[in-house]
Amino acid sequence: MKSIREIFKDKKYLLEEPEVEKLMEYCEELQDEMVELKFQKNNNKELAMLDMIKEVIKGCDAIEKEQMEHERYGYDAPDYIATIADLKRYIYSRCRDEKIWL
């Protein structure tokens, strides 16, 4: 992508024209907006990943609690295979929704 100054490098006198000055200001505003949008896009994915990790940790904590209850009180043993399958399904679904490619 060329800068405005590169575009007008052979006709620098045009840079002093009011219309060109306005165009330059407008282009600078658009560039700032693009940078901000890129940041927001990246930031949103980071937030989505943090949220997903927190949910996975909650799931791990819950299965650990089930295991402790099983050992302590003799409750039913946790179903690790189903838990792992659920976590994987959650991660892949959330990644697909957030357009995060693993």
Side-chain angles (χ1 to χ4, degrees), residues 1 4 7 11-15 18 28 40 46 51 74 79-80 82-83 94 96:
M1 175 189 251
I4 294 171
I7 294 170
K11 298 182 181 178
K12 290 188 179 192
Y13 64 92
L14 289 175
L15 290 172
E28 287 173 4
Q40 288 175 354
E46 288 175 18
D51 187 48
D79 186 351
Y80 292 105
T83 301
R94 183 77 189 265
R96 184 180 55 248

Side-chain angles (χ1 to χ4, degrees), residues 55-67 76-91:
E55 290 298 317
V56 169
I57 290 172
K58 279 187 203 174
C60 291
D61 288 344
I63 200 76
E64 286 176 338
K65 183 179 176 186
E66 283 184 43
Q67 179 63 35
D76 291 339
D79 186 351
Y80 292 105
I81 293 173
T83 301
I84 291 169
D86 289 344
L87 284 172
K88 284 175 64 176
R89 207 172 11 261
Y90 168 74
I91 290 169

Side-chain angles (χ1 to χ4, degrees), residues 62-78:
I63 200 76
E64 286 176 338
K65 183 179 176 186
E66 283 184 43
Q67 179 63 35
M68 287 190 312
E69 290 174 348
H70 166 69
E71 291 170 1
R72 187 169 184 187
Y73 304 112
Y75 293 161
D76 291 339

Side-chain angles (χ1 to χ4, degrees), residues 39-53:
F39 174 76
Q40 288 175 354
K41 182 179 177 183
N42 290 337
N43 194 27
N44 286 341
K45 287 191 181 203
E46 288 175 18
L47 291 176
M49 291 294 289
L50 285 172
D51 187 48
M52 188 175 9
I53 290 168

